[in-house]
Amino acid sequence: MTQPAAWPSRRSGNLLLGLALATGMEFYTFDSMNLVLPDLTGTLGVSRDEASWLLTIYSSFLFLGVPLSIWMAGHFGYKRFLLWTTAVFAVTAVGCALSPTLGVMLVWRALQGLAGAGLVVWWRAGIYLIMPKPQRSPSLMKVSTGLYLASAAGLLISGFLTDHIQWRLIFLPNLVMAAGAIWLLGDSFPDLPQPASVRFRNTDYWGLLLLAIGTLSLQVVLSRGQIDDWFESPHIRVLSLVSATALIAFSLWQRSRRNLYPLFDTSLLKDRNVMAAVSIGVCTGMILSGSLYVLPEYLRLVDSQTHSATQTGRLISFYTLTAAAVRPLMPRLVAELGPRKMIAAGLTMLICAMLLLNHLLTTSTSDGYFLIPLALYAVCLSALLPSVGSGTVGKLEQSKLLDGVSLYMTFRQLGAALGVAFLTIFIEQRETSHSSRLYEHLGLANESTAGWLNAVTGFLSSGGGADEGTARLTSIGLLARVGAHQVDTLSYADCFLFMAGVGVVAMCLIPLISPFVPAKK
């Protein structure tokens, strides 16, 4: 594909606004679902673990949809695919709003993940394909700023709707954004020629099938493993074997000479920048999806000052608004300092934010203490994500950009899909570990514990009028409740320590990126 020429500013502005509205639906819905997940459990009559499937099933199909969206756009045309994907995402939002049971909603969330993949891939790929190189960085900045604002809207609007009306209404703003996006993109998105690569005009059916079987089986194992006692369960053992076999077969099939139209151009992984992109993408995907799952759940379910959806959305939206404010500064900083330094700075701030959250999470932390780590997290996002793109995939020649974007976004969404599943398992394991230690320490033989129980029993007997046996049982119940609260708090705090460790791993991958060469003045 030839290098595009400069565009008229008005048409360019409409295109970027259309891309921001279309992809903004995905960002809006992603943050909204994380926020209102505790409210879904009561309405749908499911446990907290079962409700988390709404996140993991979406992330899994988003991951599967990334390579699928590249192929479908090559078959049906970029503009037509983007318009239809926008419409399908809006329809699935209505389906989620009307879902009577968890099973029905899981189906709609799976379809929403496939449609969302097209949106998160093609706002970036569209800019790479349409905009001339000097306009790419400013265009990416404008759209990503709009996406942060969409996330803020998701947190603020969905919190208000959930508390004051009904959580099902959080999906309705998608219809407004979809209508605006379709109108703007229909007028401003150009009719691009079909890709020259025969890979994008043909289908790797075996690759798609093996990838779907492998990843979906893995998600079921991760979601049900803790509940079903892992490999003690026959169906967990079978699914683990199926997942491992399918993923190994997929990897071999992508490199096989018999595969004329592989799903991925794996030869790009020989490029150090592409390898850096996919490696760092997995780590950042885990951290970003994991943190946006853990923090709202902690504030709404565990914190002693239990937050409403409105209060939680207002607090967490601080990071999205901060990211939107500082994002316009990043193109110039990346151009002056280079991607490697900016990625290192971003990951350093990310690690500091996770360590601060680990330190600050106590049974009585006030909201003001969360603002500093949220600000660090925001600056990290606005620096890290564009630096990874410009420093890795952005260096590829025009004919290989789609393949590079496909690989990067696929592995980043793989990390996002694994992030929630891993942290769900991690929380349960840490709860078990902390419970055994805490209750061993609080054994009735412990003098301080016995003294506390005697004092509470005496207070309830003398001040509350309860008989001694009832007062004793009540005091033990209060101690158990305080202990369980402490266990939950420690377990959620450990999640941020785990994500800080993932950030350290990502930091070690920075040398894979080729050194920065400043542009000639």
Side-chain angles (χ1 to χ4, degrees):
M1 186 175 291
T2 59
Q3 178 69 33
W7 268 38
S9 58
R10 180 180 175 277
R11 192 179 181 194
S12 173
N14 289 342
L15 171 69
L16 297 180
L17 180 58
L19 291 173
L21 286 173
T23 314
M25 291 192 300
E26 197 279 333
F27 278 67
Y28 167 91
T29 306
F30 182 85
D31 284 278
S32 296
M33 287 297 296
N34 281 296
L35 180 65
V36 306
L37 201 63
D39 301 281
L40 272 68
T41 57
T43 306
L44 300 177
V46 297
S47 67
R48 189 175 67 185
D49 290 334
E50 290 172 326
S52 69
W53 298 349
L54 292 168
L55 304 181
T56 55
I57 197 72
Y58 176 82
S59 298
S60 298
F61 277 85
L62 193 70
F63 162 65
L64 286 175
V66 170
L68 187 64
S69 67
I70 299 289
W71 162 73
M72 291 184 69
H75 268 64
F76 302 109
Y78 302 125
K79 180 176 181 178
R80 185 181 303 169
F81 171 76
L82 186 55
L83 292 176
W84 276 103
T85 300
T86 304
V88 169
F89 193 94
V91 171
T92 60
V94 176
C96 289
L98 300 177
S99 297
T101 63
L102 177 65
V104 174
M105 196 169 185
L106 286 173
V107 173
W108 284 113
R109 285 288 285 172
L111 295 174
Q112 194 171 63
L114 292 175
L119 300 177
V120 298
V121 168
W122 280 101
W123 81 267
R124 186 183 301 274
I127 289 174
Y128 278 131
L129 292 178
I130 297 170
M131 294 296 181
K133 199 166 187 178
Q135 294 183 21
R136 286 177 189 165
S137 184
S139 298
L140 290 168
M141 179 271 295
K142 291 175 183 176
V143 176
S144 58
T145 301
L147 298 181
Y148 288 130
L149 294 176
S151 292
L155 293 166
L156 296 173
I157 294 174
S158 61
F160 176 83
L161 291 174
T162 299
D163 285 338
H164 295 88
I165 308 178
Q166 168 63 256
W167 66 262
R168 295 182 185 275
L169 297 179
I170 68 172
F171 296 101
L172 294 186
N174 285 304
L175 302 180
V176 178
M177 288 188 282
I182 290 172
W183 177 61
L184 289 168
L185 293 174
D187 177 65
S188 59
F189 201 96
D191 293 316
L192 298 173
Q194 283 193 314
S197 173
V198 293
R199 287 181 47 252
F200 294 135
R201 298 199 301 269
N202 293 275
T203 309
D204 181 10
Y205 292 109
W206 281 110
L208 285 171
L209 180 63
L210 291 171
L211 184 61
I213 292 173
T215 54
L216 293 179
S217 299
L218 178 61
Q219 281 294 322
V220 174
V221 170
L222 294 176
S223 299
R224 295 290 309 177
Q226 186 76 11
I227 300 170
D228 296 335
D229 199 20
W230 293 106
F231 294 110
E232 297 298 322
S233 169
H235 75 269
I236 292 295
R237 291 198 298 269
V238 171
L239 286 173
S240 299
L241 180 61
V242 169
S243 176
T245 303
L247 291 176
I248 292 172
F250 171 78
S251 178
L252 295 174
W253 175 245
Q254 292 303 293
R255 301 172 65 88
S256 173
R257 293 182 180 180
R258 296 172 57 192
N259 188 1
L260 301 179
Y261 314 110
L263 199 60
F264 296 109
D265 184 359
T266 54
S267 65
L268 287 179
L269 294 175
K270 298 176 182 178
D271 186 307
R272 60 185 292 183
N273 292 313
V274 176
M275 178 57 73
V278 300
S279 303
I280 296 175
V282 171
C283 295
T284 54
M286 289 181 64
I287 297 171
L288 301 183
S289 69
S291 57
L292 293 177
Y293 163 66
V294 169
L295 187 56
E297 188 165 283
Y298 169 79
L299 292 172
R300 300 215 49 203
L301 298 176
V302 179
D303 192 19
S304 57
Q305 311 169 56
T306 306
H307 293 67
S308 65
T310 302
Q311 292 170 327
T312 305
R314 190 184 302 131
L315 175 60
I316 298 179
S317 66
F318 179 76
Y319 98 84
T320 59
L321 295 173
T322 303
V326 301
R327 180 63 177 87
L329 305 175
M330 294 305 156
R332 182 176 179 181
L333 288 175
V334 174
E336 291 182 357
L337 300 178
R340 296 214 303 187
K341 290 182 180 179
M342 289 296 292
I343 293 172
L347 287 173
T348 300
M349 286 184 282
L350 181 62
I351 294 169
C352 290
M354 296 298 107
L355 291 176
L356 269 175
L357 287 170
N358 167 260
H359 177 70
L360 293 173
L361 248 64
T362 66
T363 54
S364 58
T365 304
S366 62
D367 289 354
Y369 287 98
F370 290 111
L371 297 182
I372 293 177
L374 285 173
L376 287 172
Y377 183 74
V379 178
C380 155
L381 286 186
S382 58
L384 179 63
L385 299 183
S387 299
V388 172
S390 62
T392 56
V393 177
K395 293 182 178 181
L396 294 174
E397 59 186 72
Q398 187 76 12
S399 61
K400 296 182 178 179
L401 272 176
L402 275 182
D403 287 305
V405 170
S406 176
L407 278 169
Y408 168 58
M409 292 303 299
T410 298
F411 278 87
R412 187 169 136 188
Q413 292 307 322
L414 173 62
L418 296 177
V420 175
F422 280 163
L423 286 176
T424 302
I425 298 169
F426 186 77
I427 289 172
E428 292 176 349
Q429 291 182 338
R430 297 307 295 165
E431 285 177 344
T432 302
S433 175
H434 286 305
S435 294
S436 61
R437 293 179 182 179
L438 183 63
Y439 290 115
E440 180 181 351
H441 177 73
L442 294 177
L444 295 180
N446 186 287
E447 293 184 2
S448 60
T449 304
W452 185 90
L453 287 172
N454 291 332
V456 173
T457 301
F459 173 79
L460 292 174
S461 298
S462 59
D467 61 81
E468 186 173 349
T470 303
R472 187 70 174 180
L473 290 175
T474 303
S475 63
I476 293 174
L478 289 173
L479 179 63
R481 183 179 302 176
V482 171
H485 188 203
Q486 184 65 49
V487 164
D488 287 340
T489 301
L490 292 172
S491 301
Y492 277 84
D494 287 346
C495 288
F496 294 103
L497 188 62
F498 170 80
M499 288 184 282
V502 176
V504 172
V505 173
M507 184 80 80
C508 297
L509 299 171
I510 294 177
L512 287 174
I513 303 174
S514 58
F516 172 61
V517 179
K520 294 182 180 180
K521 296 185 179 179

